[in-house]
């Protein structure tokens, strides 16, 4: 960790690409999801849920790292999405990120797909 930035947000360590595919909001976090960057993912998840989009797909194929804070952001979104009749689907889990979910048991509370295409409803796949 860069000690010059310890304890402060490090710009550019995480960005989140958001797009709508049919009735599904697809969020692609790129970089490192941790205590310092969690809000960068939490904000678009909350915006999607506030807009009534309760089916969320988080494409983790470009996520390099996820700690417990990042996991909690996803768990919080899952609870809100489930309460709204939707859910949070994860796709493209890299081994280092998948391991965090396995160790904590969180992999059993999410629907995990190998690919983004598999996570999207049939009517959205061209």
């Amino acid at each position: 960790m860069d000690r010059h930035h310890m304890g402060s947000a490090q710009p550019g360590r995480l960005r989140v690409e958001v797009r709508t595919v049919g009735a599904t909001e697809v969020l692609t976090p790129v970089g490192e999801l941790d205590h310092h960057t969690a809000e960068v993912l939490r904000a678009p998840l909350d915006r999607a849920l506030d807009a009534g989009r309760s089916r969320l797909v988080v494409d983790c194929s470009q996520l390099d790292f996820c700690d417990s804070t990042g996991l909690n952001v996803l768990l919080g979104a899952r609870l809100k999405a489930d309460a709204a009749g939707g859910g949070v689907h994860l796709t493209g889990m890299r081994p280092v990120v998948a391991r965090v979910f396995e160790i904590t048991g969180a992999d059993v509370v999410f629907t995990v797909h190998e690919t983004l295409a598999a996570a999207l409803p049939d009517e959205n796949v061209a």
Side-chain angles (χ1 to χ4, degrees):
M1 176 180 265
D2 181 352
R3 294 186 190 279
H4 297 280
H5 290 96
M6 192 180 301
S8 64
Q10 296 178 13
R13 284 194 31 229
L14 183 73
R15 75 175 191 281
V16 179
E17 300 167 2
V18 181
R19 64 187 172 106
T20 302
V21 179
T24 303
E25 197 81 352
V26 178
L27 300 97
T28 305
V30 179
E32 299 177 5
L33 177 58
D34 60 23
H35 172 76
H36 300 290
T37 62
E39 189 58 33
V40 176
L41 180 58
R42 180 182 288 118
L45 286 167
D46 286 347
R47 279 194 300 272
L49 291 162
D50 291 346
R53 296 199 165 283
S54 61
R55 187 174 197 289
L56 307 173
V57 172
V58 180
D59 178 0
C60 300
S61 64
Q62 297 182 59
L63 192 58
D64 297 323
F65 176 80
C66 179
D67 73 358
S68 61
T69 305
L71 179 59
N72 283 328
V73 167
L74 293 167
L75 288 167
R78 180 192 153 276
L79 289 174
K80 292 176 187 176
D82 285 354
V88 174
H89 299 254
L90 305 177
T91 183
M93 302 277 281
R94 290 180 169 182
V96 68
V97 174
R99 185 73 178 132
V100 172
F101 283 77
E102 291 166 11
I103 289 170
T104 61
D107 57 334
V108 299
V109 300
F110 288 98
T111 303
V112 179
H113 306 271
E114 288 292 318
T115 66
L116 179 58
L120 296 172
D122 290 336
E123 69 266 14
N124 293 322
V125 179

